[in-house]
Amino acid sequence: MAKFLAELLGCTLPEKGASPLFECRSQPHIGLRHVSKQRPTIFGTLTDKPLCDHNSDKMPQTPPFPGMFASSGYNKNLYQTKEEDYGGLYYHDNNLVSGSLEALIQHLVPTVAYYPDRTYIFTFLLSSRLFIHPYELMSKVCHLCVDHQRLSDPQADKVRIRKIAPKILQLLTEWTETFPYDFRDERMMRSLKELTHRLSTGDELYRKTVQQMTQALIRKLATLSQYEEALAKINSTVTDRLTVLKTKPQSIQRDILTICNDPFTLAQQLTHIELERLSYIGPEEFVQAFVQKDPLDNEKSCFSDHKKASNLEAYVEWFNRLSYLVATEICMPVKKKHRARVIEFFIDVARECFNIGNFNSLMAIISGMNMSPVSRLKKTWGKVKTAKFDILEHQMDPSSNFYNYRTALRGATQRSITAHSSREKIVIPFFSLLIKDIYFLNEGCANRLPNGHVNFEKFWELAKQVREFMTWKKVECPFERDRKILQYLLTAPVFSEDALYLASYESEGPENNMEKDRWKSLRSSLLNRT
């Protein structure tokens, strides 16, 4: 995990083959010609208007994520309890800003007269794992529900149970729907089963609710397991094909243009992959990636014994694979004219990714073209029509903290909010930058205040960023799937960094002594391996 974070945050690692995502090389060739007027783009929808606040106070419906937060980022806490009720929650301008962990846990648990605000539920379930293991939190929630509502008492007021049961079941439903990966832990499932059994005993309606919730959770976990198995199979296929590429590179006859020569179609298939992989990333993974030992919790990490989902890491690996695939496709052709045609093709693909709102594939393509083995091919670049690269270069300029990209992202987000078609709902962020934003928010503010209370003001902002991602990942891809293209994108062998340099030198010879020495070393190494 330490290596993963170092790469993700742009740190330089002392080994070869580092992800091209973190190579900050300038490249004068990159750009994009003017956006087509025939297709909807993110231009024309740029606005600084805040997202609408659609907080709902109805039970048991959970509001959509765009309405969970006000534009300020803080929760309006429609169900606010008075500070003296729990003696450990503190508010400022009607916003919960801090509290003891125990008081925050109590604030999560419904009563007959109270149900927590859904923004609070999401924010606390997201951030609590920095202080307490999810199974421990579930155990405490169960204890509070059973003891305070006297669910274990055979003489308990049946009317009272009927009033509280729907609220507790709703809380559990929101937990299982939004954070299903927490329930890969057997201890979580035991607590869930115990509490739902108490609630549903003797009431057919509640039994059906519990059954539906449990079945939905099991389906989600089964789907996750299938996805992880599919990724393992894909990685195995890639390894097998890479062996062929290393030993007999010229025996690889296919290239991207023989599989798909339409940039619009390829951009759409890339969007399929992006949205599928995004959909499996749980919100808690953003927190777990940066989890630290809490000095107030006995120096014990909350995830030392927890089977974590690794979909966030897998998604970053996809970005790196796409970057290397682009570089491989450019460096592999023997003829200069063919290489130039491949570059122009990927520029057109990148342009369409931009128009779709698929910024992650766009940046991966740019990253692949910025790799040194590609950027050094000056004769090849001389054949490329560089004039049409200007807009792309402008939009993805990293200066001023990616100001142009962030403006484009806001435009895509606003377009998504007002969209009338699924095609316009697509927003796929430049994922590395999203992770960095969340990381620096986490690093820039303390988790606890000097008095030991949880700094909830920080976690409102963290939840605001994560919930926006949650909205984006729920979009269904509207484009038709092309299995042949998808298979190629996911499993076609790619060159390592050394192989890319070797192919680059074979295409356009070394220009200085340093390149000559490296070329000789790479050729010697290749001969020794074969």
Side-chain angles (χ1 to χ4, degrees):
M1 179 62 73
K3 176 182 174 182
F4 166 71
L5 289 180
E7 290 182 342
L8 195 57
L9 296 171
C11 301
T12 302
L13 298 179
E15 60 178 294
K16 295 182 179 180
S19 164
L21 171 59
F22 315 107
E23 297 183 4
C24 301
R25 301 187 179 98
S26 60
Q27 172 52 264
H29 303 292
I30 305 304
L32 178 68
R33 69 177 176 85
H34 292 284
V35 179
S36 169
K37 296 180 180 179
Q38 283 73 30
R39 296 179 304 281
T41 71
I42 62 176
F43 297 119
T45 58
L46 300 182
T47 177
D48 291 326
K49 293 181 180 179
L51 302 184
C52 297
D53 184 8
H54 302 298
N55 274 318
S56 169
D57 58 356
K58 296 180 179 180
M59 274 282 295
Q61 181 181 3
T62 302
F65 278 101
M68 288 181 65
F69 289 79
S71 57
S72 68
Y74 296 126
N75 142 278
K76 294 305 181 186
N77 213 357
L78 301 179
Y79 300 90
Q80 174 182 329
T81 57
K82 294 181 180 179
E83 184 178 313
E84 59 267 22
D85 285 349
Y86 294 143
L89 299 180
Y90 293 89
Y91 294 83
H92 178 69
D93 291 339
N94 203 39
N95 294 307
L96 176 60
V97 295
S98 70
S100 67
L101 183 59
E102 289 302 319
L104 291 169
I105 293 173
Q106 284 188 319
H107 197 50
L108 178 70
V109 179
T111 66
V112 171
Y114 162 80
Y115 188 80
D117 186 275
R118 288 166 184 78
T119 61
Y120 176 78
I121 294 173
F122 177 73
T123 303
F124 184 68
L125 290 180
L126 176 69
S127 58
S128 63
R129 61 200 68 238
L130 290 169
F131 311 101
I132 183 173
H133 198 292
Y135 87 85
E136 293 175 315
L137 175 60
M138 173 62 83
S139 178
K140 287 180 178 289
V141 168
C142 291
H143 174 75
L144 288 170
C145 288
V146 172
D147 279 15
H148 288 190
Q149 304 306 322
R150 301 190 298 278
L151 298 180
S152 58
D153 184 358
Q155 306 301 320
D157 185 350
K158 300 299 182 183
V159 175
R160 181 182 178 86
I161 292 179
R162 290 192 186 98
K163 289 181 179 179
I164 188 61
K167 294 183 177 182
I168 297 176
L169 289 175
Q170 173 62 14
L171 175 65
L172 297 176
T173 298
E174 295 195 36
W175 195 338
T176 57
E177 287 181 350
T178 311
F179 298 92
Y181 301 162
D182 285 351
F183 295 85
R184 301 183 92 180
D185 189 317
E186 292 182 1
R187 295 165 295 189
M188 288 286 290
M189 292 299 285
R190 282 198 300 269
S191 293
L192 178 66
K193 184 176 180 180
E194 178 186 345
L195 181 55
T196 54
H197 177 71
R198 292 182 183 274
L199 293 171
S200 60
T201 300
D203 195 305
E204 183 65 23
L205 176 62
Y206 299 153
R207 272 201 298 270
K208 288 182 178 179
T209 302
V210 169
Q211 186 179 33
Q212 291 171 353
M213 177 185 68
T214 305
Q215 289 176 347
L217 175 60
I218 292 173
R219 282 196 300 269
K220 284 188 177 183
L221 296 180
T223 302
L224 172 63
S225 296
Q226 292 169 1
Y227 172 70
E228 290 174 337
E229 291 172 5
L231 284 183
K233 186 175 181 180
I234 288 172
N235 292 336
S236 176
T237 303
V238 169
T239 302
D240 293 342
R241 294 187 177 184
L242 185 58
T243 302
V244 177
L245 183 65
K246 286 180 177 179
T247 56
K248 299 179 180 179
Q250 297 305 320
S251 68
I252 305 297
Q253 299 297 322
R254 294 191 305 170
D255 62 15
I256 191 65
L257 292 178
T258 63
I259 300 298
C260 176
N261 60 7
D262 178 16
F264 305 116
T265 301
L266 189 66
Q268 291 170 358
Q269 299 310 303
L270 288 171
T271 302
H272 262 296
I273 296 172
E274 298 279 357
L275 287 174
E276 180 182 50
R277 298 207 170 195
L278 276 182
S279 71
Y280 284 97
I281 298 175
E284 73 281 358
E285 294 189 56
F286 291 99
V287 174
Q288 289 169 193
F290 307 121
V291 68
Q292 302 290 330
K293 291 180 179 178
D294 189 341
L296 297 181
D297 289 328
N298 301 318
E299 293 289 329
K300 181 182 178 182
S301 170
C302 294
F303 291 93
S304 57
D305 59 347
H306 181 54
K307 182 182 179 182
K308 295 188 294 184
S310 57
N311 303 302
L312 190 149
E313 291 94 328
Y315 189 52
V316 173
E317 289 171 4
W318 153 249
F319 179 102
N320 295 336
R321 169 178 168 75
L322 179 55
S323 297
Y324 273 96
L325 178 63
V326 169
T328 299
E329 294 288 341
I330 294 171
C331 291
M332 195 162 47
V334 175
K335 295 183 179 180
K336 178 172 53 181
K337 184 178 180 180
H338 190 183
R339 292 195 298 273
R341 189 154 65 94
V342 174
I343 290 176
E344 291 188 341
F345 173 74
F346 275 118
I347 291 300
D348 288 338
V349 174
R351 176 196 59 198
E352 187 59 20
C353 286
F354 181 87
N355 291 339
I356 289 173
N358 180 358
F359 299 107
N360 202 57
S361 288
L362 163 64
M363 189 58 82
I365 293 171
I366 294 175
S367 180
M369 291 190 291
N370 273 338
M371 293 181 71
S372 293
V374 177
S375 62
R376 67 168 298 278
L377 298 172
K378 295 179 181 178
K379 294 178 182 178
T380 301
W381 281 102
K383 292 282 187 180
V384 176
K385 299 175 182 178
T386 57
K388 68 179 185 177
F389 299 162
D390 294 340
I391 293 180
L392 182 58
E393 180 181 37
H394 174 74
Q395 290 297 331
M396 306 312 291
D397 183 358
S399 63
S400 300
N401 193 19
F402 286 90
Y403 175 81
N404 293 337
Y405 158 71
R406 293 182 188 277
T407 302
L409 180 65
R410 285 199 303 272
T413 301
Q414 188 62 31
R415 180 185 69 180
S416 177
I417 293 170
T418 59
H420 298 293
S421 68
S422 56
R423 165 71 168 76
E424 297 174 324
K425 289 183 180 293
I426 298 171
V427 181
I428 303 172
F430 174 29
F431 198 67
S432 172
L433 196 58
L434 174 66
I435 293 294
K436 285 184 179 181
D437 288 344
I438 293 174
Y439 174 81
F440 287 119
L441 170 61
N442 183 60
E443 290 295 299
C445 303
N447 289 339
R448 291 187 187 264
L449 301 178
N451 64 359
H453 280 195
V454 173
N455 181 9
F456 219 72
E457 192 171 7
K458 165 184 174 177
F459 295 121
W460 288 131
E461 290 297 335
L462 175 64
K464 181 184 177 183
Q465 292 195 25
V466 174
R467 67 88 185 162
E468 190 167 44
F469 165 81
M470 294 288 287
T471 303
W472 294 334
K473 81 166 196 167
K474 290 179 180 295
V475 174
E476 294 287 338
C477 190
F479 308 120
E480 185 177 349
R481 297 173 66 92
D482 188 310
R483 293 189 177 277
K484 183 176 69 171
I485 298 174
L486 291 172
Q487 181 77 2
Y488 186 85
L489 290 171
L490 292 169
T491 64
V494 297
F495 286 134
S496 65
E497 187 173 1
D498 284 347
L500 284 173
Y501 271 110
L502 184 59
S504 180
Y505 293 144
E506 295 287 350
S507 298
E508 296 185 20
E511 294 184 343
N512 53 53
N513 289 333
M514 185 177 69
E515 288 192 345
K516 288 178 181 177
D517 290 342
R518 183 165 192 179
W519 186 25
K520 290 177 183 177
S521 175
L522 290 172
R523 293 179 69 182
S524 174
S525 177
L526 180 64
L527 288 173
N528 290 335
R529 285 200 297 266
T530 56

